[in-house]
Amino acid sequence: MSIDVRKAKVGDEVRMAEIQVAAWRRVYSGIMSPALLDALDLNQKTAMWRNALERAGKGSYLVAEVNGRVEGFAVFGPARDKDLDGSESAEIVSINIDPDKWGYGLGRSLLNFMIERLSNDGYGSIFLWVVEQNERAIRLYQRNGFVSEGKIKADPKHSGIQELRFKRNIAVEG
């Protein structure tokens, strides 16, 4: 199976929305409230992703394709946390993979692409927040050099679930 990672573009938003809704419903079942997961709206997510892809912001969007079909995506950019310097620290905002393609290496491919790009862009470290019960994601991040910092936050938008902050230092060329 060949995985191709590329910059997301307008036209990818429907598939990104489908993947996000399916992934969230699978991974957060029993973690987030059933009402929140049931309320995930494909049309709203499609509009959200289309808007994100159309505007030029600080974030970057990638998709992972298998045989020309988008099966995963990632969002990253300068760190947003107030205690971090966004010119030196980057943040992986999300990685979502179609649940039918979990275990095929798409998350690792997206992660490797982001790490290389952020290193080339001169960032010294990468941060991310992950739901503490999302063991699959935590294993992916730990296998790729991320360590928990011990910082925890509760996300009021998502049933107050606890998230852990992870960090990885990256070599800066130059």
Side-chain angles (χ1 to χ4, degrees):
M1 178 176 76
S2 174
I3 300 169
D4 296 308
V5 176
R6 64 167 171 80
K7 182 179 177 184
K9 63 184 189 299
V10 172
D12 292 329
E13 66 273 3
V14 171
R15 188 69 183 124
M16 290 169 70
E18 291 170 349
I19 291 166
Q20 182 181 15
V21 169
W24 276 47
R25 285 183 176 158
R26 176 86 56 91
V27 78
Y28 296 127
S29 176
I31 298 171
M32 291 183 180
S33 76
L36 188 147
L37 295 174
D38 289 344
L40 292 173
D41 180 81
L42 197 56
N43 292 327
Q44 183 271 333
K45 293 295 182 195
T46 298
M48 179 193 78
W49 288 119
R50 182 171 182 88
N51 181 53
L53 295 173
E54 286 178 337
R55 64 181 165 78
K58 294 181 180 179
S60 297
Y61 305 87
L62 300 174
V63 295
E65 293 181 322
V66 176
N67 299 326
R69 178 176 163 83
V70 173
E71 299 290 4
F73 70 93
V75 179
F76 66 106
R80 301 174 297 171
D81 290 344
K82 289 181 177 34
D83 65 327
L84 301 174
D85 180 347
S87 67
E88 296 175 8
S89 301
E91 179 180 0
I92 295 174
V93 178
S94 68
I95 298 177
N96 286 272
I97 307 298
D98 185 317
D100 292 337
K101 293 292 188 261
W102 287 354
Y104 286 80
L106 281 90
R108 184 177 60 247
S109 293
L110 286 162
L111 195 55
N112 288 341
F113 192 98
M114 287 184 281
I115 291 168
E116 182 177 338
R117 166 109 173 260
L118 292 167
S119 177
N120 290 340
D121 288 349
Y123 288 96
S125 54
I126 306 171
F127 293 83
L128 58 87
W129 288 96
V130 61
V131 173
E132 67 181 340
Q133 297 97 328
N134 190 346
E135 295 172 6
R136 174 181 287 278
I138 289 171
R139 283 192 307 271
L140 170 69
Y141 299 134
Q142 288 175 331
R143 282 193 310 264
N144 286 277
F146 287 83
V147 294
S148 175
E149 287 193 302
K151 293 189 184 261
I152 300 172
K153 71 176 179 179
D155 189 340
K157 294 184 296 185
H158 300 121
S159 305
I161 58 172
Q162 301 258 34
E163 294 180 278
L164 309 173
R165 190 164 85 177
F166 279 71
K167 176 184 181 180
R168 175 184 163 155
N169 290 324
I170 52 178
V172 178
E173 300 293 325

